[in-house]
Amino acid sequence: MIWLRRNVLTAATALVAGSSFARRAAAQGAPDPQPPRPAPQGGARAPITTLQGRTLPFVMKDGVKEFHLVAGEYTQEFAPGFRVKVWGYNGSSPGPTIEAVEGDRVRILVTNKLPEHTSVHWHGVLLPSGMDGVGGLSGPYIKPGETYAYEFTLRQNGTQMYHPHGDEMLQIALGMMGMFIIHPKDPDEGRVDRDFAWMTHAWKIDPGTSRPNPAEMTDFNIWSLNGRIFPATLPMVVKTGQRVRIRVGNLSMVEHPMHLHGHHFEVSGTDGGPIPPERRWREATVQVPVGTTRDVEFIADNPGDWAYHCHKSHHTMNAMSHAFPNMVGVNQGEAAADIGKLVPGYMPMGRTGMAEMQSMSGMMPGPRNTSPMMAGRGPYGSMEMGGMFTTLKVRDELASYDDPGWYQAPAGTVAWRVA
Ligand SMILES: [Cu+2]
């Protein structure tokens, strides 16, 4: 299947998510995956961990927390060797997480380094109409080169977001978005030990190109968590017994059912704020609709390496084409031999499934600047995943929250071959 080879199998390099990639990403100006952070304001509240990203710093000016977002175009490495021209904030897409406390007065300066006007809408934040950032409706646009100030007092807590509200189709498609997390005033309210934030996104980036196509409405091919795709996503590392919150934002065009293995969680919040304990419900998958956020909470009481991923199976794959016939169950034997005479190196694929493509990753040449459709190696072999996939690593003992490596399953606790 020539078209399979050309369109679907886009393997060029073996992908190994590791420290060398993180170092290289840092050297290119991308944020350090888990930078050292000062103690959180106001006590022992767990800070937000934006894996592969960071929290936006602020300065105090006359009792106001002043933040500065810079909108611009950046080159971002979604996975080793796969560079994408994104629009974002302060060097990345998503932009840095804004973290503040209920009751804070915040001033957010926004400088526009884009070639066209923009604005910033504070999604779900309760504020005066003139601060809402809908270009033309609540205020003027920020023209290229200009800096505007948005200033308001936070009178809620919860998981909110920020994004442009002007040429939205293009600016959001190219990556302009970020999380805006407001902690409760009382640090004991909703207290957790680990607090993770993920921003999902869907992109159309044709293999071999680096510009996301903002005209795409439905046929996306790259699915990211905090601006990276598996296996370049970092694991959530927690200690056994810790209370964990995972916050997910969705400003893509598609909903994402986010599934956690090994644990049940309670859905504890939306972009409408925290859900009172008596009204929470238990799930192992939470649907994160378009244009909203979901928080989930659980006790990490099950040591191991647990998959955390969008449950749409096409969202846990990397660059792919959907324009090929269904070859599952089709015997290509004789035709393959005939084509092989004409096209050196041709090999038939897809009859028994597509897992065979995974084993080809890194062996066959593909277009430059893309990522294998299915990738990632675990302790027992290839994982055949991509896109919106990462892991929750629960350990009884931890020296730090750096990746502790693969779980060493106790003897007799791994499924075994019987025939
Ligand atoms: Cu999804």
Side-chain angles (χ1 to χ4, degrees):
M1 314 286 66
I2 279 304
W3 27 262
L4 271 183
R5 187 178 155 197
R6 285 192 180 151
N7 293 345
V8 178
L9 183 69
T10 53
T13 47
L15 277 188
V16 181
S19 55
S20 62
F21 173 59
R23 272 198 303 276
R24 195 147 38 92
Q28 289 169 346
D32 190 286
Q34 295 196 63
R37 298 212 33 210
Q41 298 283 312
R45 174 186 284 122
I48 302 294
T49 299
T50 307
L51 290 169
Q52 308 140 210
R54 69 255 187 248
T55 290
L56 185 63
F58 63 85
V59 291
M60 285 304 292
K61 281 192 181 169
D62 305 325
V64 179
K65 284 184 179 172
E66 188 174 282
F67 299 83
H68 193 174
L69 287 175
V70 179
E73 177 177 292
Y74 312 101
T75 298
Q76 181 159 316
E77 205 166 15
F78 280 23
F82 178 28
R83 292 181 180 81
V84 180
K85 288 247 186 276
V86 299
W87 285 17
Y89 300 93
N90 301 46
S92 65
S93 167
T97 298
I98 297 175
E99 201 177 337
V101 180
E102 185 173 1
D104 283 349
R105 180 122 183 121
V106 298
R107 182 183 305 124
I108 305 164
L109 305 175
V110 181
T111 297
N112 183 4
K113 293 193 172 175
L114 295 168
E116 68 168 1
H117 71 209
T118 190
S119 71
V120 183
H121 166 60
W122 316 98
H123 174 113
V125 179
L126 304 173
L127 38 60
S129 168
M131 294 293 160
D132 201 38
V134 178
L137 175 66
S138 25
Y141 287 103
I142 309 167
K143 296 189 188 71
E146 292 180 341
T147 297
Y148 269 63
Y150 294 86
E151 185 170 324
F152 41 90
T153 299
L154 302 174
R155 51 192 179 95
Q156 63 185 109
N157 66 75
T159 306
Q160 319 301 147
M161 301 183 283
Y162 63 91
H163 63 81
H165 224 297
D167 199 9
E168 262 192 72
M169 185 193 88
L170 181 141
Q171 295 190 4
I172 293 180
L174 296 190
M176 297 190 71
M177 57 185 68
M179 299 289 268
F180 191 146
I181 295 170
I182 308 167
H183 296 288
K185 217 177 180 69
D186 175 1
D188 284 330
E189 189 182 325
R191 180 185 286 281
V192 293
D193 302 299
R194 298 284 279 149
D195 201 337
F196 296 96
W198 293 105
M199 180 64 85
T200 59
H201 204 32
W203 314 76
K204 175 67 169 187
I205 309 167
D206 289 320
T209 72
S210 59
R211 291 261 179 202
N213 180 357
E216 184 57 55
M217 291 172 66
T218 53
D219 191 18
F220 302 98
N221 65 346
I222 296 289
W223 311 91
S224 61
L225 289 172
N226 286 354
R228 281 198 203 156
I229 57 176
F230 183 76
T233 50
L234 292 170
M236 294 178 283
V237 179
V238 310
K239 202 170 174 190
T240 308
Q242 283 187 321
R243 186 164 183 83
V244 180
R245 183 186 290 119
I246 304 176
R247 311 177 191 243
V248 182
N250 184 3
L251 290 169
S252 76
M253 296 270 284
V254 193
E255 73 273 21
H256 302 295
M258 299 303 296
H259 177 51
L260 176 63
H261 293 213
H263 299 78
H264 293 160
F265 50 68
E266 286 189 334
V267 181
S268 60
T270 72
D271 52 351
I275 298 171
E278 68 278 9
R279 286 177 38 217
R280 297 180 181 182
W281 65 97
R282 298 185 73 77
E283 300 268 17
T285 301
V286 61
Q287 176 76 303
V288 187
V290 175
T292 187
T293 67
R294 289 290 181 273
D295 300 353
V296 302
E297 290 180 32
F298 59 96
I299 305 286
D301 56 3
N302 200 356
D305 289 343
W306 303 106
Y308 175 69
H309 61 94
C310 177
H311 218 296
K312 290 191 174 181
S313 52
H314 282 218
H315 296 191
T316 50
M317 296 167 67
N318 294 330
M320 59 178 294
S321 167
H322 300 116
F324 56 88
N326 182 5
M327 297 306 290
V328 178
V330 175
N331 186 344
Q332 305 165 54
E334 288 188 11
D338 288 345
I339 298 169
K341 288 176 201 158
L342 299 170
V343 185
Y346 167 79
M347 68 189 69
M349 286 186 154
R351 181 186 168 204
T352 58
M354 289 188 179
E356 60 195 301
M357 291 179 185
Q358 163 61 18
S359 63
M360 301 301 297
S361 291
M363 295 163 58
M364 291 179 66
R368 65 182 181 82
N369 203 47
T370 187
S371 191
M373 190 167 87
M374 299 185 280
R377 292 203 73 80
Y380 304 102
S382 67
M383 284 191 260
E384 299 167 3
M385 285 281 132
M388 291 179 173
F389 181 98
T390 186
T391 51
L392 172 78
K393 295 191 172 188
V394 184
R395 297 289 186 276
D396 293 338
E397 300 298 333
L398 278 180
S400 76
Y401 289 131
D402 294 338
D403 188 346
W406 300 115
Y407 182 61
Q408 304 292 315
T413 65
V414 177
W416 66 94
R417 179 178 174 175
V418 294

